[in-house]
Amino acid sequence: MAEAPIPSVVAMLLCDQIINEQVTNKKSLIGVFDNFNSLTFPVILPRLAVYVKMADAVGDYTFKLRMVKLKDESLIAEIGFQARITGAAVGQYSELALNMGNVPLPEPGKYEFQLYSGEDYLHRITMQAVLAQLPQGGPQWPQQK
């Protein structure tokens, strides 16, 4: 059996949730973002999703998604998963939709999500975690007229 070709990533996005419509297999990306604001750190993201669109993926793959803090390149989290990509021929597109929960963010700063197929690096996307500030004096109710 021939080895699966190394896919090319044409899109990789972070969002709150990915919904896969069962009949059409269309993906709805809910809450696409590249910055995350929090009033406190460390914080746990209750849910996070990564969408990946690839070309030339067909066969059996062992993927790995790593989350790295760029300041010191420390590994924050890593998940591995198997995928059998069928129905797509070389030259066509396929998708990965990864819904995850309880993703740790230890401190403000830039984080990178790195996608691998086996040991082959495929693509990355970055996210900036920002310590949010409340407005001066805290939240205000609208004034009555």
Side-chain angles (χ1 to χ4, degrees), residues 6 16 25 29 48-49 52 64 72 97 105 109 113 121 135 138 140:
I6 297 172
D16 294 325
N25 203 30
L29 308 181
L48 173 82
V52 182
K64 175 173 51 179
D72 58 8
L105 288 177
F113 294 83
Y121 169 79
Q140 302 289 319

Side-chain angles (χ1 to χ4, degrees), residues 10 15 17 21 26 34 40 47 50 54 62 99 103-104 111 120 124 128 132:
V10 296
C15 56
Q17 180 181 12
E21 205 281 312
K26 289 182 178 179
D34 55 15
T40 62
R47 62 184 186 185
V50 178
M54 299 176 293
T62 300
N99 285 300
V103 178
Y111 293 84
D120 296 315
R124 69 181 174 91
Q128 185 75 35

